[in-house]
Amino acid sequence: MFDLKGALSLLVPKGSTALKSGEICQGTAVYADAKLGTLVQVYNPSGRSIASGVLGQGQFVENELGAACRFDFTIRGVPDGLPTYGVEVGSHGVHSVSSTEAHSWVAIADASF
């Protein structure tokens, strides 16, 4: 078993919001359900749910590349030894990740803030 760690980043066009780095944020439009406590599911290659957790508090982050509302997550007790894993935030589709990625950091990004 291992802890799968990662983040959902909802990309924001620079200058399109009054939020400042470090402020609390949540998703809008298609990702209106992206907020503290939103379900994050982990699936095996057959599509069966094998672990779950929730999004942490959204935090607005900015750097030289742009800006995003970022939600970190940690899914505890994920079974080890699979070649790939599926990760789904809310009901926004399953993202397939390699075992290596699942064991280091899962980055999910979308431009739908």
Side-chain angles (χ1 to χ4, degrees):
M1 301 279 194
F2 69 100
D3 292 348
L4 185 148
K5 297 180 180 184
L8 167 67
S9 295
L10 301 179
L11 308 178
V12 179
K14 218 165 186 170
S16 68
T17 179
L19 290 172
K20 295 184 179 13
S21 238
E23 291 185 341
I24 292 172
C25 58
Q26 69 178 48
T28 61
V30 174
Y31 276 95
D33 64 333
K35 59 188 173 202
L36 176 65
T38 297
L39 182 65
V40 180
Q41 294 262 87
V42 179
Y43 299 93
N44 68 13
S46 300
R48 187 172 65 86
S49 178
I50 55 173
S52 64
V54 297
L55 290 179
Q57 182 66 62
Q59 184 173 20
F60 189 70
V61 294
E62 290 181 285
N63 61 34
E64 62 279 350
L65 300 175
C69 183
R70 177 179 156 158
F71 304 84
D72 289 348
F73 55 83
T74 299
I75 312 301
R76 303 197 186 287
V78 177
D80 216 343
L82 299 176
T84 61
Y85 295 83
V87 180
E88 182 177 36
V89 177
S91 60
H92 297 283
V94 178
H95 299 268
S96 182
V97 297
S98 69
S99 180
T100 301
E101 189 177 3
H103 282 80
S104 57
W105 184 261
V106 175
I108 301 171
D110 196 297
S112 299
F113 176 73

